Amino acid sequence: MTFNQLKWTSTRNPFTRNRPLQLMIFLFIIFFGLMAISPTNRPQWLVYNFLLIVVILTLIFTYKWFRFSNFSYLLMLIFFCLHTYAAHYTYEGTPLDQWLQTNFHTNRSYYDRIVHFAFGFFFYFPFIEILKLKVKLRGIWLYMMPILVILALSALFEILEMLGALVAGPEGEEKFIGMQGDIYDTQKDMAVGFLGGIISIGIPLLMNWNRDNTFAISDETH
């Protein structure tokens, strides 16, 4: 059985007939609205969500130029929810980290590492999709280039964090960079994103391309 038979990955359906995508958008709006209620730190919440809103608006305004498969939209939705959850509590104060500190006496936040890993893991497939359909990459570069894109965007995000910290002044490091005493925090964040991308390579290797240029499970997979 293919994803296309499940009407899950069609890139040609107009938005008005794309029920799975409409459902995903509805669920995210509800989740985002709940996470916008009384966040732990409203200024940080606004900063955290600025880039998220930019990405979502980009997806909206480029929808006619390029439509990802609904599988890619689902992967991006999961990442957006992970980030939105952290923005509500701040990355250093999520319930997960409080639980880890209480039960395992950890001395730093690990949820940020999870989100950096999730960026590499969940965005590898959308990147490979657009590189195949629009950039027309083939062969080994089709699988390697998304890793390079993930590393580049991870580095760009760390640079933006640094600029935000410089603008914020003396307390900027704590608000935007959050190294938490680890001098290799930036490198580790990029490394886990890279690891997420490497692990995610297995997704397209289990899939092939059918005739209408949508991803489908290999015929050998049941």
Side-chain angles (χ1 to χ4, degrees):
M1 177 177 291
T2 67
F3 274 118
N4 203 40
Q5 289 172 328
L6 294 173
K7 298 182 179 179
W8 188 246
T9 61
S10 175
T11 60
R12 295 184 177 182
N13 283 340
F15 179 76
T16 54
R17 295 207 303 264
N18 195 334
R19 301 303 183 193
L21 181 57
Q22 293 174 18
L23 177 61
M24 284 186 275
I25 292 174
F26 174 76
L27 292 176
F28 180 71
I29 290 174
I30 296 298
F31 183 74
F32 186 87
L34 291 174
M35 292 295 98
I37 299 173
S38 302
T40 302
N41 186 312
R42 179 66 71 178
Q44 285 193 37
W45 180 87
L46 292 171
V47 172
Y48 286 149
N49 283 302
F50 175 75
L51 282 178
L52 175 63
I53 297 301
V54 170
V55 171
I56 292 175
L57 289 176
T58 300
L59 292 173
I60 292 173
F61 288 115
T62 60
Y63 184 76
K64 290 184 177 180
W65 174 75
F66 182 80
R67 300 173 189 176
F68 290 96
S69 67
N70 284 339
F71 182 62
S72 283
Y73 285 123
L74 175 63
L75 295 176
M76 289 187 279
L77 171 66
I78 296 172
F79 176 80
F80 294 159
C81 288
L82 290 173
H83 173 78
T84 302
Y85 176 82
H88 177 84
Y89 292 102
T90 75
Y91 272 92
E92 294 78 21
T94 64
L96 172 63
D97 283 308
Q98 294 177 5
W99 178 80
L100 289 174
Q101 291 168 5
T102 300
N103 293 277
F104 297 96
H105 308 291
T106 56
N107 55 10
R108 62 154 291 132
S109 167
Y110 285 97
Y111 189 82
D112 65 325
R113 296 268 197 265
I114 294 174
V115 175
H116 280 283
F117 175 86
F119 172 71
F121 184 81
F122 290 117
F123 271 85
Y124 178 87
F125 190 86
F127 288 152
I128 204 174
E129 196 170 57
I130 194 171
L131 287 171
K132 182 174 179 67
L133 292 177
K134 283 297 182 180
V135 185
K136 307 299 183 182
L137 280 182
R138 296 293 185 271
I140 188 63
W141 282 108
L142 178 61
Y143 297 95
M144 297 306 300
M145 188 58 70
I147 298 294
L148 300 180
V149 173
I150 288 168
L151 280 174
L153 292 177
S154 296
L156 176 61
F157 180 77
E158 298 297 336
I159 292 171
L160 292 176
E161 279 190 336
M162 178 195 69
L163 294 176
L166 292 174
V167 171
E171 298 181 354
E173 187 276 332
E174 183 65 27
K175 290 181 178 179
F176 293 98
I177 300 180
M179 295 178 68
Q180 303 180 66
D182 186 351
I183 61 173
Y184 299 112
D185 181 74
T186 298
Q187 290 81 359
K188 290 178 180 178
D189 286 346
M190 294 175 62
V192 293
F194 174 77
L195 178 62
I198 291 293
I199 294 175
S200 195
I201 288 178
I203 295 177
L205 291 178
L206 294 175
M207 310 179 88
N208 60 13
W209 289 94
N210 63 21
R211 293 179 180 178
D212 61 353
N213 284 334
T214 60
F215 273 119
I217 292 291
S218 171
D219 292 337
E220 297 178 357
T221 304
H222 299 282

